[in-house]
Amino acid sequence: MAGLRWLVLALMALVGTGCATVRNGRYQAIDVRSEPSGAAISVRCADSPEVAAVTPATVRLSRRAKPCAVTLASSGYETLTIPFDRRVSRLFWRNLIWSPVFGLAGLLGTDSCDGTGFGPCFSPGEVAAVAFVIGLIPAGIGMGIDAATGAMYEKIPADVNVTLSTTSPPPERR
Protein backbone atom coordinates (compact mmCIF):
# COMPACT_ATOMS: atom_id res chain seq x y z
CA MET A 1 0.00 0.00 0.00
CA ALA A 2 2.85 2.38 0.78
CA GLY A 3 4.29 1.73 -2.69
CA LEU A 4 1.03 2.79 -4.29
CA ARG A 5 1.05 6.02 -2.28
CA TRP A 6 4.55 6.87 -3.53
CA LEU A 7 3.60 5.99 -7.11
CA VAL A 8 0.59 8.34 -7.01
CA LEU A 9 2.72 11.13 -5.52
CA ALA A 10 5.43 10.63 -8.15
CA LEU A 11 2.84 10.86 -10.94
CA MET A 12 1.39 14.02 -9.38
CA ALA A 13 4.86 15.53 -9.22
CA LEU A 14 5.57 14.80 -12.88
CA VAL A 15 2.24 16.25 -13.97
CA GLY A 16 2.57 19.32 -11.76
CA THR A 17 6.07 20.45 -12.64
CA GLY A 18 6.53 23.55 -14.72
CA CYS A 19 3.52 25.24 -13.14
CA ALA A 20 4.06 28.68 -14.70
CA THR A 21 4.82 27.12 -18.08
CA VAL A 22 1.48 25.33 -18.08
CA ARG A 23 -0.55 28.34 -16.88
CA ASN A 24 1.38 31.30 -18.36
CA GLY A 25 3.00 29.98 -21.50
CA ARG A 26 6.00 31.58 -23.21
CA TYR A 27 4.10 34.68 -24.34
CA GLN A 28 1.93 37.23 -22.56
CA ALA A 29 -1.04 38.81 -24.32
CA ILE A 30 -1.06 42.59 -23.82
CA ASP A 31 -4.15 44.61 -24.73
CA VAL A 32 -3.13 47.91 -26.32
CA ARG A 33 -5.74 50.68 -26.52
CA SER A 34 -5.36 54.36 -27.32
CA GLU A 35 -7.49 57.46 -27.48
CA PRO A 36 -7.89 58.17 -30.31
CA SER A 37 -7.97 54.63 -31.64
CA GLY A 38 -6.25 53.76 -34.89
CA ALA A 39 -2.73 54.51 -33.67
CA ALA A 40 0.05 52.45 -35.23
CA ILE A 41 1.57 49.97 -32.78
CA SER A 42 5.20 48.96 -33.02
CA VAL A 43 6.54 46.27 -30.68
CA ARG A 44 10.23 45.69 -30.06
CA CYS A 45 11.47 42.91 -27.78
CA ALA A 46 15.19 42.16 -27.60
CA ASP A 47 16.27 40.57 -30.89
CA SER A 48 12.75 39.58 -32.01
CA PRO A 49 11.41 40.95 -35.27
CA GLU A 50 9.31 44.08 -34.94
CA VAL A 51 5.56 43.50 -34.74
CA ALA A 52 3.04 45.99 -36.16
CA ALA A 53 -0.66 46.46 -35.44
CA VAL A 54 -3.26 49.21 -35.01
CA THR A 55 -5.11 50.10 -31.79
CA PRO A 56 -7.13 48.57 -30.31
CA ALA A 57 -5.21 45.32 -30.55
CA THR A 58 -3.71 42.52 -28.53
CA VAL A 59 0.01 41.90 -28.96
CA ARG A 60 2.01 38.96 -27.68
CA LEU A 61 5.26 39.68 -25.87
CA SER A 62 7.87 37.07 -25.10
CA ARG A 63 7.94 36.69 -21.33
CA ARG A 64 11.68 36.07 -21.42
CA ALA A 65 12.65 38.97 -23.72
CA LYS A 66 14.27 41.97 -22.14
CA PRO A 67 14.01 44.84 -23.02
CA CYS A 68 10.53 45.17 -24.52
CA ALA A 69 8.68 48.32 -25.56
CA VAL A 70 5.48 49.26 -27.37
CA THR A 71 5.47 52.46 -29.43
CA LEU A 72 2.25 54.20 -30.47
CA ALA A 73 2.22 56.71 -33.31
CA SER A 74 -0.59 58.63 -34.97
CA SER A 75 -0.57 61.61 -37.31
CA GLY A 76 -1.04 64.86 -35.36
CA TYR A 77 -0.12 63.22 -32.05
CA GLU A 78 3.12 62.78 -30.15
CA THR A 79 4.73 59.37 -30.46
CA LEU A 80 4.58 57.50 -27.17
CA THR A 81 6.83 54.60 -26.12
CA ILE A 82 5.85 52.37 -23.22
CA PRO A 83 8.71 50.26 -21.82
CA PHE A 84 7.91 46.91 -20.22
CA ASP A 85 9.62 45.46 -17.23
CA ARG A 86 9.43 41.86 -16.12
CA ARG A 87 9.03 40.33 -12.69
CA VAL A 88 8.88 36.80 -11.39
CA SER A 89 5.33 35.45 -11.61
CA ARG A 90 3.62 34.15 -8.48
CA LEU A 91 2.93 30.91 -10.34
CA PHE A 92 6.67 30.24 -10.48
CA TRP A 93 6.79 29.87 -6.69
CA ARG A 94 3.95 27.31 -6.73
CA ASN A 95 6.52 24.75 -7.82
CA LEU A 96 7.71 24.69 -4.20
CA ILE A 97 4.41 23.22 -3.03
CA TRP A 98 5.72 19.73 -3.79
CA SER A 99 8.12 19.61 -0.82
CA PRO A 100 5.40 20.02 1.82
CA VAL A 101 3.11 17.66 -0.12
CA PHE A 102 5.75 14.94 -0.09
CA GLY A 103 6.58 15.69 3.57
CA LEU A 104 2.94 15.31 4.55
CA ALA A 105 2.65 12.13 2.52
CA GLY A 106 5.68 10.82 4.35
CA LEU A 107 3.91 11.33 7.66
CA LEU A 108 0.86 9.38 6.53
CA GLY A 109 1.20 5.71 7.31
CA THR A 110 4.77 6.00 8.51
CA ASP A 111 5.07 2.51 9.99
CA SER A 112 8.12 1.50 8.00
CA CYS A 113 8.88 -1.52 10.19
CA ASP A 114 7.05 -4.61 9.09
CA GLY A 115 8.41 -6.77 11.90
CA THR A 116 10.27 -9.11 9.55
CA GLY A 117 13.67 -7.80 10.56
CA PHE A 118 14.53 -6.98 6.96
CA GLY A 119 15.55 -3.45 6.11
CA PRO A 120 15.93 -0.43 8.35
CA CYS A 121 13.18 1.05 10.48
CA PHE A 122 12.62 4.81 10.29
CA SER A 123 10.82 7.15 12.65
CA PRO A 124 7.93 9.23 11.30
CA GLY A 125 10.13 12.34 11.46
CA GLU A 126 12.86 10.68 9.40
CA VAL A 127 10.36 9.54 6.78
CA ALA A 128 8.84 13.03 6.58
CA ALA A 129 12.28 14.67 6.24
CA VAL A 130 13.29 12.33 3.40
CA ALA A 131 9.92 12.87 1.69
CA PHE A 132 10.37 16.65 1.99
CA VAL A 133 13.80 16.47 0.36
CA ILE A 134 12.44 14.20 -2.38
CA GLY A 135 9.78 16.86 -2.95
CA LEU A 136 12.53 19.34 -3.83
CA ILE A 137 13.30 17.31 -6.97
CA PRO A 138 10.02 18.03 -8.81
CA ALA A 139 10.10 21.60 -7.47
CA GLY A 140 13.55 22.08 -8.99
CA ILE A 141 12.47 20.49 -12.27
CA GLY A 142 9.41 22.76 -12.47
CA MET A 143 11.44 25.87 -11.68
CA GLY A 144 14.02 24.88 -14.29
CA ILE A 145 11.34 24.39 -16.95
CA ASP A 146 9.74 27.73 -16.09
CA ALA A 147 13.10 29.51 -16.25
CA ALA A 148 14.07 27.86 -19.56
CA THR A 149 10.78 28.77 -21.26
CA GLY A 150 10.62 32.27 -19.77
CA ALA A 151 7.19 31.47 -18.29
CA MET A 152 8.53 32.37 -14.85
CA TYR A 153 8.14 36.06 -15.79
CA GLU A 154 5.22 38.39 -16.28
CA LYS A 155 5.35 41.69 -18.14
CA ILE A 156 4.57 44.95 -16.37
CA PRO A 157 2.34 46.78 -17.27
CA ALA A 158 -0.14 44.00 -18.03
CA ASP A 159 -1.99 46.18 -20.55
CA VAL A 160 -1.67 49.58 -22.22
CA ASN A 161 -4.48 52.15 -22.23
CA VAL A 162 -3.25 55.65 -23.10
CA THR A 163 -4.49 58.99 -24.36
CA LEU A 164 -2.19 60.43 -26.99
CA SER A 165 -1.22 64.10 -26.74
CA THR A 166 -1.62 66.33 -29.75
CA THR A 167 1.51 67.80 -31.22
CA SER A 168 1.78 71.55 -31.01
CA PRO A 169 1.65 73.27 -34.38
CA PRO A 170 4.94 74.72 -35.60
CA PRO A 171 5.37 78.44 -34.94
CA GLU A 172 4.38 80.70 -37.81
CA ARG A 173 7.22 82.31 -39.75
CA ARG A 174 7.00 85.91 -40.68
Side-chain angles (χ1 to χ4, degrees):
M1 192 62 159
L4 179 61
R5 179 180 69 229
W6 288 108
L7 177 64
V8 168
L9 287 170
L11 289 173
M12 286 174 44
L14 287 173
V15 170
T17 57
C19 187
T21 301
V22 172
R23 298 282 310 274
N24 282 347
R26 295 175 183 231
Y27 297 92
Q28 182 172 335
I30 306 287
D31 290 330
V32 181
R33 294 177 299 282
S34 69
E35 185 57 46
S37 61
I41 303 170
S42 168
V43 178
R44 282 196 173 273
C45 283
D47 297 333
S48 299
E50 191 169 319
V51 176
V54 176
T55 62
T58 300
V59 295
R60 290 174 22 122
L61 303 182
S62 167
R63 291 179 181 275
R64 182 191 298 179
K66 187 175 180 178
C68 272
V70 169
T71 301
L72 301 173
S74 186
S75 180
Y77 295 89
E78 293 183 19
T79 299
L80 181 62
T81 299
I82 298 96
F84 285 84
D85 200 4
R86 67 180 191 187
R87 70 176 178 201
V88 177
S89 168
R90 291 181 188 151
L91 289 173
F92 175 72
W93 300 111
R94 288 190 184 176
N95 288 300
L96 292 176
I97 199 167
W98 292 110
S99 290
V101 166
F102 273 77
L104 182 61
L107 285 175
L108 302 175
T110 56
D111 183 12
S112 64
C113 293
D114 60 5
T116 62
F118 295 105
C121 292
F122 298 104
S123 71
E126 291 170 324
V127 172
V130 169
F132 182 84
V133 171
I134 289 172
L136 291 175
I137 294 169
I141 291 170
M143 291 175 127
I145 291 169
D146 291 345
T149 63
M152 71 180 280
Y153 299 111
E154 62 185 356
K155 295 291 186 188
I156 306 299
D159 62 359
V160 174
N161 191 6
V162 297
T163 300
L164 299 174
S165 301
T166 57
T167 55
S168 49
E172 289 184 26
R173 294 189 177 188
R174 293 183 188 205

XYZ file of all heavy atoms in Angstrom, residues 79-168:
657
model
N 4.426 60.800 -30.547
C 4.730 59.369 -30.457
C 4.997 59.030 -28.996
O 5.677 59.770 -28.284
C 5.953 59.039 -31.333
O 5.629 59.373 -32.683
C 6.327 57.573 -31.239
N 4.459 57.916 -28.562
C 4.582 57.500 -27.170
C 5.170 56.096 -27.114
O 4.694 55.193 -27.797
C 3.199 57.527 -26.501
C 3.109 57.139 -25.033
C 3.917 58.106 -24.168
C 1.657 57.132 -24.593
N 6.218 55.920 -26.307
C 6.832 54.603 -26.118
C 6.624 54.153 -24.683
O 6.923 54.893 -23.750
C 8.340 54.648 -26.448
O 8.487 55.027 -27.818
C 8.989 53.295 -26.224
N 6.095 52.957 -24.536
C 5.852 52.374 -23.215
C 6.817 51.212 -23.015
O 6.707 50.184 -23.693
C 4.397 51.866 -23.059
C 3.409 53.023 -23.197
C 4.189 51.188 -21.717
C 2.852 53.159 -24.544
N 7.782 51.368 -22.096
C 8.705 50.260 -21.818
C 8.038 49.235 -20.900
O 7.197 49.579 -20.072
C 9.875 50.944 -21.110
C 9.263 52.150 -20.468
C 8.107 52.566 -21.341
N 8.418 47.983 -21.076
C 7.910 46.915 -20.222
C 9.033 46.373 -19.363
O 10.157 46.215 -19.824
C 7.335 45.768 -21.071
C 6.003 46.106 -21.658
C 5.920 46.823 -22.836
C 4.835 45.716 -21.031
C 4.699 47.155 -23.381
C 3.608 46.040 -21.567
C 3.537 46.765 -22.749
N 8.695 46.108 -18.139
C 9.624 45.455 -17.230
C 9.117 44.037 -17.040
O 8.011 43.699 -17.458
C 9.667 46.198 -15.900
C 10.913 45.889 -15.092
O 11.783 45.145 -15.599
O 11.026 46.382 -13.968
N 9.895 43.205 -16.423
C 9.425 41.858 -16.118
C 9.714 41.567 -14.657
O 10.677 42.074 -14.077
C 10.069 40.814 -17.029
C 11.536 40.647 -16.818
C 12.119 39.604 -17.731
N 13.467 39.312 -17.281
C 14.305 38.564 -17.917
N 13.957 38.003 -19.057
N 15.504 38.335 -17.439
N 8.840 40.773 -14.077
C 9.034 40.334 -12.693
C 8.692 38.860 -12.620
O 8.017 38.318 -13.498
C 8.196 41.153 -11.722
C 6.717 40.893 -11.831
C 5.943 41.659 -10.781
N 4.516 41.423 -10.962
C 3.576 42.193 -10.511
N 3.887 43.267 -9.848
N 2.312 41.899 -10.716
N 9.139 38.227 -11.569
C 8.877 36.800 -11.393
C 7.408 36.613 -11.046
O 6.881 37.258 -10.146
C 9.790 36.197 -10.307
C 9.451 34.733 -10.073
C 11.250 36.346 -10.692
N 6.750 35.733 -11.790
C 5.333 35.450 -11.607
C 5.110 34.672 -10.311
O 5.938 33.860 -9.899
C 4.843 34.608 -12.795
O 3.571 34.075 -12.542
N 3.974 34.903 -9.688
C 3.625 34.149 -8.477
C 3.501 32.654 -8.772
O 3.778 31.824 -7.920
C 2.314 34.661 -7.905
C 2.419 36.032 -7.326
C 1.104 36.480 -6.745
N 1.215 37.883 -6.375
C 0.207 38.708 -6.373
N -0.995 38.293 -6.703
N 0.377 39.956 -6.024
N 3.080 32.326 -9.984
C 2.932 30.913 -10.342
C 4.261 30.164 -10.281
O 4.290 28.966 -10.023
C 2.340 30.780 -11.745
C 0.878 31.169 -11.884
C 0.469 31.149 -13.346
C -0.002 30.265 -11.066
N 5.344 30.862 -10.527
C 6.673 30.240 -10.478
C 6.930 29.633 -9.102
O 7.470 28.538 -8.992
C 7.736 31.291 -10.815
C 9.144 30.812 -10.677
C 9.678 29.920 -11.590
C 9.947 31.271 -9.653
C 10.990 29.488 -11.485
C 11.257 30.843 -9.537
C 11.781 29.948 -10.458
N 6.525 30.331 -8.052
C 6.789 29.866 -6.690
C 5.894 28.702 -6.289
O 6.173 28.006 -5.319
C 6.643 31.025 -5.704
C 7.597 32.123 -6.035
C 7.294 33.357 -6.525
C 9.024 32.069 -5.961
N 8.446 34.071 -6.750
C 9.519 33.310 -6.407
C 9.934 31.089 -5.555
C 10.878 33.595 -6.461
C 11.294 31.382 -5.610
C 11.737 32.620 -6.057
N 4.823 28.455 -7.041
C 3.952 27.315 -6.725
C 4.659 25.976 -6.931
O 4.195 24.959 -6.441
C 2.679 27.366 -7.553
C 1.754 28.455 -7.108
C 0.427 28.333 -7.780
N -0.423 29.460 -7.417
C -1.608 29.653 -7.920
N -2.096 28.818 -8.814
N -2.319 30.688 -7.554
N 5.746 25.983 -7.667
C 6.519 24.751 -7.823
C 6.986 24.215 -6.470
O 7.169 23.016 -6.309
C 7.740 24.999 -8.714
C 7.369 25.182 -10.163
O 6.786 24.295 -10.766
N 7.706 26.323 -10.723
N 7.201 25.104 -5.509
C 7.710 24.692 -4.196
C 6.681 23.948 -3.359
O 7.010 23.409 -2.317
C 8.211 25.916 -3.423
C 9.455 26.572 -4.009
C 9.807 27.823 -3.227
C 10.629 25.592 -4.014
N 5.450 23.895 -3.798
C 4.410 23.220 -3.034
C 4.695 21.718 -2.897
O 4.216 21.067 -1.985
C 3.024 23.466 -3.646
C 1.945 23.180 -2.609
C 2.803 22.617 -4.875
C 0.584 23.686 -3.014
N 5.495 21.174 -3.811
C 5.724 19.733 -3.787
C 6.487 19.261 -2.560
O 6.238 18.161 -2.073
C 6.434 19.279 -5.060
C 5.519 19.447 -6.211
C 5.617 20.347 -7.212
C 4.310 18.725 -6.445
N 4.547 20.244 -8.061
C 3.737 19.251 -7.616
C 3.654 17.702 -5.783
C 2.546 18.772 -8.141
C 2.466 17.230 -6.313
C 1.934 17.762 -7.470
N 7.383 20.059 -2.005
C 8.121 19.614 -0.823
C 7.200 19.369 0.358
O 7.258 18.309 0.975
C 9.218 20.624 -0.471
O 10.218 20.568 -1.453
N 6.323 20.315 0.721
C 5.397 20.021 1.825
C 4.439 18.871 1.504
O 4.090 18.101 2.397
C 4.628 21.329 2.013
C 5.443 22.372 1.369
C 6.250 21.704 0.298
N 4.022 18.753 0.247
C 3.110 17.657 -0.123
C 3.785 16.317 0.135
O 3.208 15.410 0.739
C 2.664 17.778 -1.601
C 2.004 16.493 -2.084
C 1.726 18.950 -1.762
N 5.040 16.194 -0.311
C 5.751 14.943 -0.087
C 6.031 14.735 1.399
O 5.980 13.611 1.893
C 7.064 14.922 -0.878
C 6.901 14.427 -2.278
C 6.369 15.243 -3.263
C 7.276 13.152 -2.623
C 6.215 14.793 -4.555
C 7.125 12.688 -3.915
C 6.590 13.508 -4.887
N 6.343 15.806 2.120
C 6.580 15.690 3.568
C 5.350 15.202 4.294
O 5.418 14.323 5.161
N 4.190 15.736 3.939
C 2.940 15.315 4.553
C 2.629 13.863 4.199
O 2.216 13.075 5.041
C 1.796 16.226 4.089
C 0.424 15.930 4.677
C 0.450 16.076 6.195
C -0.609 16.864 4.089
N 2.880 13.515 2.940
C 2.648 12.132 2.517
C 3.558 11.182 3.289
O 3.172 10.067 3.618
C 2.883 11.984 1.025
N 4.754 11.643 3.580
C 5.682 10.816 4.349
C 5.199 10.568 5.765
O 5.513 9.544 6.371
N 4.440 11.512 6.309
C 3.913 11.334 7.659
C 2.710 10.408 7.699
O 2.380 9.849 8.733
C 3.521 12.688 8.253
C 4.681 13.561 8.696
C 4.170 14.917 9.136
C 5.466 12.899 9.820
N 2.029 10.243 6.570
C 0.859 9.376 6.526
C 1.304 7.918 6.438
O 2.056 7.546 5.559
C -0.018 9.716 5.312
C -0.524 11.153 5.257
C -1.254 11.385 3.955
C -1.415 11.458 6.436
N 0.856 7.127 7.328
C 1.197 5.706 7.306
C 2.693 5.483 7.398
O 3.277 4.826 6.555
N 3.318 6.040 8.419
C 4.774 6.000 8.512
C 5.323 4.766 9.208
O 6.472 4.754 9.598
C 5.287 7.246 9.257
O 4.646 7.298 10.527
C 5.050 8.495 8.461
N 4.551 3.732 9.365
C 5.065 2.510 9.988
C 5.922 1.791 8.963
O 5.445 1.025 8.140
C 3.904 1.616 10.439
C 4.403 0.384 11.158
O 5.614 0.345 11.492
O 3.593 -0.522 11.388
N 7.228 2.087 8.993
C 8.117 1.504 7.998
C 8.733 0.199 8.489
O 9.547 -0.381 7.795
C 9.214 2.505 7.626
O 10.011 2.770 8.760
N 8.381 -0.240 9.684
C 8.876 -1.517 10.186
C 7.772 -2.559 10.042
O 6.683 -2.399 10.577
C 9.264 -1.406 11.667
S 10.680 -0.348 11.940
N 8.073 -3.593 9.299
C 7.050 -4.613 9.095
C 7.222 -5.802 10.036
O 6.488 -6.764 9.957
C 7.030 -5.070 7.641
C 8.354 -5.662 7.202
O 9.260 -5.811 8.055
O 8.478 -5.978 6.008
N 8.216 -5.711 10.924
C 8.406 -6.772 11.900
C 9.156 -7.973 11.364
O 9.379 -8.933 12.086
N 9.569 -7.963 10.118
C 10.269 -9.113 9.554
C 11.755 -9.073 9.869
O 12.433 -10.071 9.711
C 10.096 -9.158 8.024
O 10.666 -7.980 7.457
C 8.628 -9.280 7.655
N 12.252 -7.915 10.280
C 13.673 -7.797 10.560
C 14.485 -7.458 9.322
O 15.703 -7.333 9.399
N 13.836 -7.356 8.199
C 14.532 -6.983 6.964
C 14.449 -5.472 6.772
O 13.392 -4.878 6.912
C 13.921 -7.681 5.744
C 14.072 -9.158 5.773
C 12.987 -9.974 6.068
C 15.304 -9.745 5.529
C 13.127 -11.337 6.107
C 15.444 -11.109 5.566
C 14.361 -11.925 5.862
N 15.527 -4.882 6.414
C 15.548 -3.451 6.112
C 15.531 -2.598 7.363
O 15.232 -3.077 8.454
N 15.888 -1.342 7.192
C 15.931 -0.434 8.351
C 14.539 0.035 8.742
O 13.607 -0.001 7.943
C 16.762 0.730 7.830
C 16.520 0.732 6.354
C 16.344 -0.712 5.969
N 14.412 0.456 9.999
C 13.180 1.049 10.485
C 13.426 2.546 10.659
O 14.456 2.946 11.173
C 12.777 0.450 11.832
S 12.287 -1.275 11.710
N 12.474 3.362 10.198
C 12.620 4.810 10.288
C 11.511 5.388 11.138
O 10.369 4.924 11.095
C 12.568 5.448 8.896
C 13.679 5.008 7.992
C 13.435 4.082 6.985
C 14.962 5.490 8.149
C 14.447 3.662 6.149
C 15.985 5.090 7.321
C 15.733 4.163 6.312
N 11.834 6.454 11.861
C 10.818 7.149 12.653
C 9.962 7.995 11.708
O 10.382 8.301 10.590
C 11.487 8.052 13.687
O 12.090 9.156 13.031
N 8.772 8.380 12.149
C 7.927 9.234 11.304
C 8.633 10.525 10.888
O 8.488 10.984 9.762
C 6.712 9.520 12.174
C 6.637 8.355 13.106
C 8.068 7.956 13.365
N 9.409 11.111 11.787
C 10.132 12.342 11.460
C 11.172 12.127 10.375
O 11.346 12.970 9.487
N 11.857 10.981 10.424
C 12.858 10.677 9.395
C 12.197 10.470 8.036
O 12.683 10.953 7.017
C 13.660 9.433 9.781
C 14.565 9.644 10.971
C 15.164 8.334 11.478
O 14.463 7.304 11.426
O 16.323 8.365 11.909
N 11.083 9.779 8.031
C 10.364 9.539 6.776
C 9.878 10.866 6.196
O 10.014 11.128 4.996
C 9.173 8.574 7.000
C 8.309 8.476 5.757
C 9.685 7.195 7.411
N 9.339 11.738 7.046
C 8.845 13.034 6.576
C 9.983 13.891 6.027
O 9.833 14.561 5.008
C 8.115 13.766 7.688
N 11.138 13.868 6.691
C 12.283 14.666 6.235
C 12.765 14.187 4.870
O 13.044 14.990 3.978
C 13.412 14.595 7.259
N 12.857 12.875 4.693
C 13.286 12.327 3.400
C 12.257 12.668 2.330
O 12.609 13.072 1.214
C 13.497 10.794 3.503
C 13.667 10.176 2.131
C 14.700 10.497 4.383
N 10.973 12.547 2.663
C 9.920 12.866 1.695
C 9.968 14.343 1.311
O 9.781 14.703 0.147
C 8.550 12.507 2.267
N 10.263 15.218 2.270
C 10.367 16.651 1.988
C 11.501 16.915 1.006
O 11.342 17.656 0.033
C 10.589 17.419 3.288
C 10.648 18.907 3.095
C 9.481 19.646 3.052
C 11.858 19.562 2.960
C 9.521 21.020 2.879
C 11.905 20.934 2.772
C 10.738 21.661 2.742
N 12.649 16.292 1.252
C 13.802 16.473 0.359
C 13.494 15.912 -1.026
O 13.825 16.525 -2.042
C 15.071 15.828 0.968
C 16.207 15.826 -0.033
C 15.471 16.573 2.233
N 12.827 14.768 -1.084
C 12.437 14.195 -2.381
C 11.496 15.158 -3.109
O 11.551 15.288 -4.328
C 11.798 12.806 -2.195
C 12.870 11.802 -1.785
C 11.094 12.349 -3.471
C 12.329 10.443 -1.389
N 10.677 15.873 -2.360
C 9.777 16.855 -2.954
C 10.504 18.015 -3.610
O 9.962 18.693 -4.485
N 11.750 18.263 -3.206
C 12.531 19.340 -3.832
C 12.898 18.997 -5.275
O 13.129 19.896 -6.085
C 13.795 19.617 -3.016
C 13.581 20.245 -1.643
C 14.904 20.352 -0.907
C 12.906 21.602 -1.756
N 12.928 17.717 -5.602
C 13.303 17.313 -6.970
C 12.274 17.805 -7.980
O 12.633 18.519 -8.925
C 13.529 15.789 -7.047
C 14.747 15.412 -6.198
C 13.702 15.344 -8.497
C 14.911 13.926 -5.975
N 10.970 17.490 -7.833
C 10.021 18.033 -8.814
C 9.923 19.553 -8.754
O 9.683 20.197 -9.773
C 8.689 17.364 -8.473
C 8.849 16.826 -7.112
C 10.306 16.569 -6.896
N 10.120 20.134 -7.565
C 10.096 21.600 -7.468
C 11.225 22.187 -8.311
O 11.020 23.144 -9.068
C 10.231 22.040 -6.012
N 12.406 21.605 -8.206
C 13.547 22.082 -8.994
C 13.339 21.880 -10.487
O 13.698 22.739 -11.297
N 12.755 20.751 -10.849
C 12.471 20.489 -12.271
C 11.488 21.534 -12.799
O 11.694 22.129 -13.857
C 11.913 19.064 -12.466
C 13.002 18.027 -12.190
C 11.355 18.893 -13.880
C 12.492 16.601 -12.111
N 10.409 21.775 -12.052
C 9.412 22.762 -12.472
C 10.000 24.153 -12.594
O 9.738 24.873 -13.559
N 10.822 24.545 -11.626
C 11.438 25.870 -11.676
C 12.398 25.968 -12.860
O 12.475 27.007 -13.517
C 12.142 26.170 -10.357
C 11.170 26.357 -9.222
S 12.008 26.578 -7.644
C 11.239 28.097 -7.122
N 13.104 24.885 -13.144
C 14.017 24.882 -14.287
C 13.271 25.009 -15.606
O 13.693 25.755 -16.498
N 12.154 24.304 -15.734
C 11.340 24.389 -16.953
C 10.800 25.809 -17.117
O 10.862 26.392 -18.199
C 10.185 23.361 -16.915
C 10.728 21.941 -17.025
C 9.168 23.654 -18.016
C 9.695 20.864 -16.739
N 10.281 26.376 -16.036
C 9.738 27.730 -16.093
C 10.810 28.750 -16.461
O 10.558 29.682 -17.226
C 9.093 28.112 -14.761
C 7.830 27.330 -14.467
O 7.283 26.695 -15.397
O 7.386 27.352 -13.301
N 12.015 28.580 -15.925
C 13.104 29.505 -16.252
C 13.539 29.348 -17.706
O 13.771 30.335 -18.409
C 14.288 29.265 -15.313
N 13.622 28.111 -18.181
C 14.072 27.861 -19.557
C 13.080 28.395 -20.584
O 13.483 28.895 -21.634
C 14.294 26.365 -19.776
N 11.792 28.308 -20.299
C 10.785 28.772 -21.256
C 10.500 30.265 -21.120
O 9.881 30.851 -22.002
C 9.455 28.018 -21.068
O 8.944 28.300 -19.758
C 9.623 26.528 -21.275
N 10.926 30.863 -20.015
C 10.617 32.270 -19.767
C 9.268 32.467 -19.101
O 8.886 33.581 -18.767
N 8.530 31.373 -18.885
C 7.194 31.470 -18.289
C 7.237 31.920 -16.833
O 6.215 32.283 -16.269
C 6.468 30.130 -18.391
N 8.416 31.929 -16.240
C 8.534 32.369 -14.853
C 8.305 33.879 -14.711
O 8.117 34.368 -13.607
C 9.892 31.990 -14.273
C 11.065 32.779 -14.837
S 12.655 32.304 -14.143
C 12.636 33.170 -12.595
N 8.286 34.603 -15.834
C 8.142 36.056 -15.792
C 6.750 36.509 -16.206
O 6.043 35.809 -16.920
C 9.152 36.720 -16.742
C 10.579 36.442 -16.387
C 11.368 35.641 -17.195
C 11.147 36.984 -15.240
C 12.679 35.384 -16.876
C 12.467 36.734 -14.917
C 13.233 35.934 -15.733
O 14.537 35.672 -15.417
N 6.397 37.704 -15.775
C 5.222 38.388 -16.280
C 5.628 39.814 -16.608
O 6.476 40.398 -15.947
C 4.057 38.344 -15.295
C 4.308 39.008 -13.962
C 3.148 38.816 -12.995
O 2.117 38.240 -13.371
O 3.284 39.254 -11.850
N 5.031 40.338 -17.684
C 5.348 41.687 -18.136
C 4.540 42.713 -17.352
O 3.372 42.509 -17.053
C 5.046 41.858 -19.634
C 5.916 41.013 -20.533
C 7.341 41.494 -20.512
C 8.172 40.743 -21.527
N 9.574 41.047 -21.410
N 5.189 43.825 -17.061
C 4.569 44.949 -16.374
C 4.773 46.172 -17.246
O 5.910 46.436 -17.616
C 5.225 45.193 -14.995
C 5.223 43.919 -14.155
C 4.557 46.332 -14.261
C 3.863 43.377 -13.865
N 3.747 46.909 -17.629
C 2.342 46.777 -17.267
C 1.672 45.619 -18.003
O 2.143 45.193 -19.052
C 1.735 48.113 -17.698
C 2.602 48.585 -18.815
C 3.969 48.072 -18.510
N 0.562 45.143 -17.458
C -0.145 44.002 -18.032
C -0.978 44.394 -19.245
O -1.339 43.546 -20.040
C -1.038 43.353 -16.979
N -1.300 45.680 -19.370
C -1.991 46.179 -20.553
C -1.650 47.657 -20.732
O -1.077 48.278 -19.846
C -3.503 45.966 -20.487
C -4.164 46.705 -19.339
O -3.464 47.390 -18.563
O -5.394 46.616 -19.212
N -1.981 48.193 -21.901
C -1.674 49.584 -22.218
C -2.974 50.265 -22.608
O -3.684 49.805 -23.496
C -0.662 49.674 -23.387
C -0.453 51.116 -23.810
C 0.653 49.014 -23.013
N -3.292 51.357 -21.926
C -4.477 52.146 -22.227
C -4.069 53.608 -22.058
O -3.947 54.091 -20.939
C -5.620 51.782 -21.286
C -6.933 52.380 -21.730
O -7.036 52.985 -22.798
N -7.946 52.226 -20.893
N -3.813 54.298 -23.165
C -3.255 55.649 -23.103
C -4.072 56.634 -23.935
O -4.774 56.255 -24.867
C -1.793 55.674 -23.598
C -0.900 54.837 -22.698
C -1.683 55.211 -25.032
N -3.943 57.894 -23.574
C -4.492 58.990 -24.360
C -3.308 59.716 -24.980
O -2.414 60.181 -24.258
C -5.310 59.954 -23.478
O -6.374 59.223 -22.874
C -5.862 61.101 -24.298
N -3.292 59.773 -26.295
C -2.191 60.429 -26.991
C -2.348 61.943 -26.931
O -3.462 62.471 -27.018
C -2.134 59.955 -28.447
C -1.909 58.454 -28.648
C -2.017 58.103 -30.125
C -0.561 58.040 -28.100
N -1.229 62.634 -26.787
C -1.225 64.103 -26.742
C -1.036 64.654 -28.143
O -0.217 64.144 -28.915
C -0.079 64.601 -25.852
O -0.203 64.095 -24.556
N -1.773 65.711 -28.434
C -1.621 66.328 -29.754
C -0.285 67.048 -29.827
O 0.235 67.542 -28.822
C -2.762 67.328 -30.033
O -2.773 68.307 -28.998
C -4.090 66.627 -30.112
N 0.261 67.061 -31.029
C 1.508 67.796 -31.217
C 1.175 69.264 -31.368
O 0.134 69.633 -31.909
C 2.265 67.310 -32.474
O 1.387 67.417 -33.587
C 2.736 65.890 -32.312
N 2.037 70.115 -30.870
C 1.777 71.546 -31.013
C 2.144 71.976 -32.426
O 3.141 71.490 -32.980
C 2.568 72.328 -29.969
O 3.909 71.913 -29.964
